[in-house]
Amino acid sequence: MKANDQTRKVWEVSRLWTAVDGVPHARMVNRHETIMVSIRTLEDPEYFAAVPVIRNEP
């Protein structure tokens, strides 16, 4: 989730790729919203915080 986000909206990484300038990026989704951020930004605790998720996958 985004750091300091009062709504506590959880974003899920749906795609990883390297842009033409060589910078790795992630597409993140939350229901019907999509954002794209660099991996460096995603790893920066000032911008995002990891949320543990338990999945029920077979």
Side-chain angles (χ1 to χ4, degrees):
M1 51 188 241
K2 290 182 180 178
N4 301 318
D5 182 6
Q6 300 301 321
T7 64
R8 302 187 52 84
K9 193 182 299 184
V10 176
W11 295 87
E12 182 177 351
V13 175
S14 66
R15 179 178 175 228
L16 299 171
W17 78 97
T18 301
V20 294
D21 59 2
V23 177
H25 281 73
R27 174 186 293 155
M28 312 214 2
V29 295
N30 174 288
R31 296 187 186 201
H32 301 293
E33 296 179 79
T34 302
I35 58 174
M36 283 147 228
V37 298
S38 72
I39 298 299
R40 184 173 294 222
T41 301
L42 185 59
E43 294 177 330
D44 188 332
E46 288 189 33
Y47 295 101
F48 285 92
V51 176
V53 176
I54 298 173
R55 295 193 179 261
N56 294 327
E57 295 181 6

